[in-house]
Amino acid sequence: QDGLKQCLAEFRQQLAWVERLDVTLGPVADPVSQNSSTSAAVDPENDFQREMSFYRQAQAAVLEALPRLHKLHVATRRPDDYFAEMAKSDQQMQKIRQKLKSKQEAMERSEKAKQLRAMRKYGKKVQVEVLQRRQKEKKNMLNAVKKYQKGLSDKLDFLDEEQTSSQGNKKGNASQRTKKGPNAKRRYKNQKFGFGGKKKGSKWNTKESFNDVSSFQSKVAHNKGPGKGGRGGKGGKKTLNKRPGKRARQKMKNRAR
Amino acid sequence: GKWKNKERVLIFSSRGISFRTRHLMQDLRTLMPHSKADTKMDRKDQLFVINEVCEMKNCNKCIFFEAKKKQDLYMWLSNTPQGPSAKFLVQNVHTLAELKMTGNCLRGSRPLLSFDPIFDQEPHYALLKELFIQIFSTPQYHPKSQPFVDHVFTFTITDERIWFRNYQIIEEDASLVEIGPRFVLNLIKIFQGSFGGPTLYENPHYQSPNMHRRLLRLSVAAKFREKQQVKEVQKIKKKGTKVLVEEDPTEVVFETPAEEKPVEIQLVKPESKPIVKDKKKLRKIQRKKQKKLFRTEG
């Protein structure tokens, strides 16, 4: 140890600070780090923390040294018209700039894609909601119509209700406004062909229709009536059914000859 | 002004260095205008030959890179005529050309040197600090230097090693961008003379790379051996202790050997049985049906 100190004493040069430009300082106090304990012991494995401590040390040195240099009239800022050879060639700097740009672009693209996906999801959700609401309304309308048809309610209120509710909601969601386009055609068709609705179960008998025997005609049921218009010159289906078989016809033919 | 501080640094290497080391050397040469280059030194020559080379080139400092086994890089920093020298193991080398180092500085501009306060606390670190200052600071009014101060070298001590970084000063408020290169120095020894002489200091935390690799290999081998030992112990346990049972003479009393039959050799193939289909046997489906009925009845 003494040897070291002796050597150092021999080796040390007495130069003006301007020649050496050395600063020995700890890092700048970090406003981000709360505990003083963490700032004291920098974990060398934690890359980010370590590099930040180096950065802050350099900052402290710069903050201390620059005023001193200015006092000694040593320039630190390069004037804009001063062109000289740089440590890295322009080509290298171009490459660096390209890389940074491409990274940024990639990030932007991924961001855009994410946003698009989110929007599409939302749009799908809205669409589903709208369709469901339409179906609900249809169902309600049908029920009201059927009720009226079956004679349960003799009020045609549902038609009015729809109009008032739709008018009330016209100022409401914009989503309802999107119904205008196909709705015109749909409305016309509904008007012409009825309100659509379930096709399969629409003609099931109800209790009343089953018990209703008003359309019973006993002559038709027992096949005793005059037939359709008394079976005129042409003859109806029955005469066609009464056509004799092949053998009988041949016999008739032979007898006739 | 006049250039008074006549420092010249000789930067060269031995043979067998990798591309990364070569680039690092070139980077140091561009960053330090007071440096001189030399051809590769043959490894046959002794180290004190370097002193003569330096004298020939009229340099009073030297940075010498030595590569061993094409893997390990050692760096010598020395004050050539009589002063101290130090040997380091260099790790984690990143060069100027790496695309993550986005800063740039004037070629030959003077650097600001920033040291960790720990450098003042230990005598060996103080000596190293003096060495760094004399080697890395560009003399004022050097003909190849630029008059501006626009970058800063930082030397920090973390984890018993010296970390070197180079930042560009962008604004007066100390916003910095890294220029590179960057490396880590692990001190091995400090000698009193240049490339020789008595050892002033030996780093107790230093572990040679060979030792490091050997320890890794040993640990792997030890793990393997341990596994084998555990296996053997388990084997012994499984076998268990064998109990010797005495032979009982009354066991064989009732054994009568069977009559010996004459050995019959078949020469003719036996007749094959005709396959008779049992018509009474119901088909599979019907059998299942029967079973079902039977089960439900019963």
Side-chain angles (χ1 to χ4, degrees), chain A residues 31-150:
Chain A
V32 179
S33 75
Q34 271 103 25
N35 318 359
S36 59
S37 59
T38 49
S39 64
V42 172
D43 176 23
E45 303 294 326
N46 184 350
D47 289 341
F48 185 67
Q49 209 183 22
R50 198 185 57 214
E51 297 297 323
M52 279 319 287
S53 80
F54 298 159
Y55 187 84
R56 272 180 273 126
Q57 189 192 317
Q59 276 188 323
V62 167
L63 284 173
E64 157 130 8
L66 284 188
R68 277 171 85 173
L69 284 172
H70 287 149
K71 253 192 267 178
L72 296 167
H73 304 292
V74 177
T76 52
R77 284 203 67 224
R78 184 162 70 102
D80 293 326
D81 55 354
Y82 189 97
F83 292 115
E85 201 181 351
M86 306 287 275
K88 294 191 196 173
S89 66
D90 283 336
Q91 210 184 30
Q92 179 74 12
M93 297 311 286
Q94 263 307 80
K95 255 200 255 179
I96 292 173
R97 242 171 270 144
Q98 267 306 92
K99 184 124 196 265
L100 281 174
K101 223 197 291 184
S102 68
K103 262 198 205 166
Q104 209 176 6
E105 269 173 21
M107 222 171 61
E108 270 175 26
R109 240 178 284 148
S110 77
E111 273 298 316
K112 252 193 242 175
K114 254 190 242 175
Q115 271 189 351
L116 255 169
R117 260 180 277 145
M119 270 186 66
R120 254 185 244 153
K121 242 189 172 175
Y122 178 70
K124 186 78 183 183
K125 209 166 47 160
V126 166
Q127 190 189 39
V128 163
E129 269 178 26
V130 164
L131 284 173
Q132 280 188 341
R133 210 183 323 139
R134 269 194 218 155
Q135 283 200 335
K136 234 189 250 177
E137 277 184 27
K138 222 194 232 181
K139 188 170 125 189
N140 290 338
M141 176 55 85
L142 260 176
N143 283 342
V145 167
K146 273 203 180 146
K147 275 191 188 164
Y148 173 70
Q149 280 183 340
K150 303 290 180 185

Side-chain angles (χ1 to χ4, degrees), chain A residues 18 23-24 82 85 87-88, chain B residues 101 105 107 110 113 129 146:
Chain A
V18 186
V23 181
T24 309
Y82 189 97
E85 201 181 351
K88 294 191 196 173
Chain B
M101 316 279 193
C105 66
R107 182 177 258 198
R110 299 180 61 207
L113 301 170
K129 176 178 158 185
Q146 305 280 357

Side-chain angles (χ1 to χ4, degrees), chain B residues 154-255:
Chain B
T154 52
F155 298 86
T156 327
I157 298 184
T158 316
D159 193 22
E160 317 293 340
R161 291 174 173 81
I162 303 173
W163 301 67
F164 173 86
R165 296 280 181 278
N166 178 15
Y167 296 100
Q168 176 195 8
I169 304 170
I170 302 180
E171 287 295 321
E172 302 283 301
D173 68 347
S175 55
L176 308 168
V177 177
E178 185 152 4
I179 309 171
R182 49 154 86 169
F183 48 87
V184 179
L185 297 174
N186 202 350
L187 175 65
I188 305 174
K189 276 190 184 179
I190 305 184
F191 301 100
Q192 192 177 21
S194 164
F195 292 101
T199 311
L200 286 174
Y201 179 78
E202 197 176 332
N203 186 4
H205 306 281
Y206 171 71
Q207 190 191 59
S208 90
N210 280 334
M211 190 65 60
H212 182 70
R213 286 188 281 258
R214 182 164 174 265
L215 282 179
L216 280 173
R217 258 180 285 143
L218 279 179
S219 74
V220 169
K223 247 198 255 178
F224 180 68
R225 221 174 286 141
E226 225 187 89
K227 266 196 227 170
Q228 279 199 326
Q229 276 183 349
V230 166
K231 265 196 207 164
E232 292 205 353
V233 167
Q234 279 186 341
K235 236 196 250 179
I236 293 173
K237 266 199 213 164
K238 265 193 202 169
K239 271 195 211 161
T241 47
K242 287 192 180 169
V243 181
L244 194 59
V245 178
E246 282 181 5
E247 203 181 302
D248 192 1
T250 55
E251 234 180 56
V252 282
V253 170
F254 291 107
E255 271 184 25

Side-chain angles (χ1 to χ4, degrees), chain B residues 36-185:
Chain B
K36 284 198 184 161
D38 196 20
T39 54
K40 288 189 205 150
M41 188 189 85
D42 217 358
R43 232 176 292 142
K44 282 184 286 172
D45 306 332
Q46 309 282 358
L47 281 176
F48 56 75
V49 172
I50 301 179
N51 292 326
E52 295 174 5
V53 175
C54 283
E55 211 187 296
M56 280 211 299
K57 288 255 168 173
N58 196 12
C59 292
N60 59 353
K61 297 281 185 304
C62 175
I63 302 182
F64 176 62
F65 289 100
E66 191 182 352
K68 289 249 169 88
K69 284 191 180 183
K70 300 210 179 174
Q71 282 171 11
D72 313 321
L73 177 66
Y74 298 100
M75 180 162 103
W76 288 87
L77 288 182
S78 145
N79 176 22
T80 22
Q82 74 289 64
S85 54
K87 183 173 181 190
F88 301 91
L89 175 69
V90 185
Q91 291 165 322
N92 291 8
V93 175
H94 295 263
T95 55
L96 264 182
E98 296 202 359
L99 289 176
K100 298 233 170 145
M101 316 279 193
T102 45
N104 200 357
C105 66
L106 282 172
R107 182 177 258 198
S109 65
R110 299 180 61 207
L112 196 55
L113 301 170
S114 154
F115 292 94
D116 208 348
I118 305 178
F119 273 103
D120 285 337
Q121 288 165 10
E122 304 275 321
H124 58 272
Y125 282 142
L127 183 57
L128 284 180
K129 176 178 158 185
E130 190 60 35
L131 201 55
F132 288 145
I133 291 174
Q134 288 186 18
I135 289 182
F136 286 106
S137 60
T138 307
Q140 208 180 16
Y141 310 123
H142 189 280
K144 282 197 208 157
S145 71
Q146 305 280 357
F148 307 104
V149 176
D150 63 352
H151 63 291
V152 51
F153 290 164
T154 52
F155 298 86
T156 327
I157 298 184
T158 316
D159 193 22
E160 317 293 340
R161 291 174 173 81
I162 303 173
W163 301 67
F164 173 86
R165 296 280 181 278
N166 178 15
Y167 296 100
Q168 176 195 8
I169 304 170
I170 302 180
E171 287 295 321
E172 302 283 301
D173 68 347
S175 55
L176 308 168
V177 177
E178 185 152 4
I179 309 171
R182 49 154 86 169
F183 48 87
V184 179
L185 297 174

